Amino acid sequence: KKDFEYIGDGLWIKGAGGIYDGKIRLPFIGADFTTDEIRGIIYHEYTHLLVNDISDRKAPKWLDEGLAEYEGARYLKKDMSVLKSAVNSNLLIPLKGLDAVFSDINNEDATQRYLAYLESYTLANYLMKRYNKYKVREILEELGKGQPLETVMRDKLNVTVDEFERRWLSDLKAGKLY
């Protein structure tokens, strides 16, 4: 684990369970992960590989992280208390602001970063429940062709990005995505 963090010092977030930077990097030697934690990390990182491959690295970070969190959640239990508190306090990060949180690896605000992961997870959960994995793949393929997210959402989901966010937020506030 220390070697993993040393290698990534300044390149990725301290405390990361794994990294996909063109290669899947996992800190398992000397770590005391449970079998489910290992599976969850592998699903998460492998999903990054697939999302990046299908979208030609053009998917928004919130979608990339959201899908990775969604797949990793098969084995990793999520503590949703930070998200529930943000929903109740009306302190959610707007969809258009999520990518900035992921892009700032020097951001020391762990709660804000965790909230971004949880929001992205519920966005992916919403996509999978409301649409399906085939529609998500079409979205990733269109993004990979260089189409803007607004165009892809309108063409594939028949909604604007703002309407998508409003619908997601409605389901989130109703407790349907926890």
Side-chain angles (χ1 to χ4, degrees), residues 56-140:
D56 196 28
R57 297 186 158 274
K58 293 178 182 143
K61 290 295 288 178
W62 67 262
L63 182 56
D64 184 18
E65 286 299 343
L67 291 170
E69 286 289 308
Y70 177 83
E71 292 300 329
R74 296 172 187 236
Y75 297 99
L76 297 172
K77 188 90 171 135
K78 298 213 161 298
D79 176 5
M80 303 301 277
S81 60
V82 170
L83 180 67
K84 289 176 183 179
S85 176
V87 168
N88 293 334
S89 305
N90 203 24
L91 294 173
L92 291 171
I93 304 164
L95 179 60
K96 292 179 180 172
L98 283 175
D99 279 8
V101 175
F102 290 119
S103 297
D104 184 6
I105 65 167
N106 297 317
N107 182 350
E108 298 289 325
D109 189 345
T111 303
Q112 188 78 351
R113 182 173 289 285
Y114 189 60
L115 177 59
Y117 277 95
L118 292 174
E119 283 188 42
S120 295
Y121 163 73
T122 61
L123 283 158
N125 191 5
Y126 175 76
L127 273 170
M128 291 298 206
K129 284 183 175 183
R130 175 89 167 99
Y131 304 97
N132 58 49
K133 64 184 175 183
Y134 304 106
K135 193 59 75 172
V136 172
R137 182 182 178 96
E138 289 176 13
I139 290 168
L140 294 172

Side-chain angles (χ1 to χ4, degrees), residues 138-157:
E138 289 176 13
I139 290 168
L140 294 172
E141 288 170 345
E142 290 303 308
L143 290 168
K145 294 175 186 174
Q147 293 295 319
L149 181 62
E150 185 68 44
T151 302
V152 173
M153 289 283 209
R154 197 172 43 252
D155 291 351
K156 296 297 175 184
L157 307 180

